Amino acid sequence: LFTNKKYPQTQTPIWNLGLEKQLFMIDHTCTAKQAFNLMIDNKITSLPITRHDKMYGVISMSDIKILGDENIDAEEILGLDVVEFVKQSRSYVSKLMNTIPRPVDSVVSCAPDSTLHEVIQCMLAFNLHHIYIVNEGTPVNVISFIDVLRLVV
């Protein structure tokens, strides 16, 4: 579907597709609670974590899974800075799934001149629902599969 000639926009650089939207970010010094409140208030499911205005990591609603551990003090863990919270969340999930946790600063992203096809391939390869577009280390946009559907349907 995504390389089909009926969809020429897949070969267009994403910066040229009109997908720009307001991008919310969270500084690495903010708490997990602040990050989740920002997501709730803006009806989004993830935020890029920035350090000195550069992309450092991502916190998402799926990181809240750590609260499923009955030994976790929710107030205490939500008071951690976002980087430490994501580390602990990934460690918790990795123990449950018997996998190795991905480092917080291991971020999959694309450049603004990537084609829509390249963005889709990256999302599929890494099993992502959305991907951040990063220009010289700074997050500038986020693309989701909903955005892709809007372009081709």
Side-chain angles (χ1 to χ4, degrees):
L1 168 68
F2 297 118
T3 57
N4 190 309
K5 291 180 182 172
K6 291 181 181 179
Y7 301 101
Q9 61 271 46
T10 61
Q11 297 308 312
T12 304
I14 52 172
W15 55 264
N16 202 24
L17 290 172
L19 296 174
E20 294 79 21
K21 59 186 100 164
Q22 183 175 8
L23 182 63
F24 296 93
M25 297 180 254
I26 193 91
D27 187 79
H28 71 284
T29 60
C30 293
T31 66
K33 184 175 183 175
Q34 289 172 308
F36 288 120
N37 281 329
L38 185 59
M39 285 186 248
I40 291 165
D41 292 346
N42 293 287
K43 298 176 176 65
I44 55 176
T45 58
S46 72
L47 289 167
I49 300 169
T50 58
R51 179 175 277 169
H52 308 295
D53 297 321
K54 300 293 183 189
M55 183 89 167
Y56 181 78
V58 175
I59 184 169
S60 74
M61 284 294 186
S62 65
D63 290 316
I64 203 78
K65 292 173 186 171
I66 192 169
L67 296 181
D69 183 345
E70 56 191 39
N71 298 316
I72 294 289
D73 179 330
E75 187 174 335
E76 181 180 327
I77 197 152
L78 289 170
L80 295 174
D81 69 69
V82 288
V83 173
E84 186 58 33
F85 178 87
V86 172
K87 283 180 188 174
Q88 289 195 27
S89 176
R90 289 184 182 172
S91 177
Y92 170 72
V93 171
S94 293
K95 286 177 187 172
L96 291 177
M97 298 179 70
N98 198 26
T99 60
I100 298 171
R102 187 169 44 92
V104 176
D105 61 352
S106 173
V107 179
V108 178
S109 64
C110 286
D113 60 349
S114 302
T115 65
L116 184 59
H117 174 75
E118 291 167 334
V119 170
I120 293 166
Q121 292 301 314
C122 193
M123 291 170 75
L124 292 172
F126 290 94
N127 194 28
L128 302 173
H129 297 107
H130 54 268
I131 191 163
Y132 286 94
I133 308 306
V134 177
N135 188 20
E136 297 181 9
T138 301
V140 294
N141 202 357
V142 61
I143 306 295
S144 70
F145 272 118
I146 295 294
D147 297 321
V148 173
L149 285 172
R150 286 184 183 122
L151 287 171
V152 298
V153 175

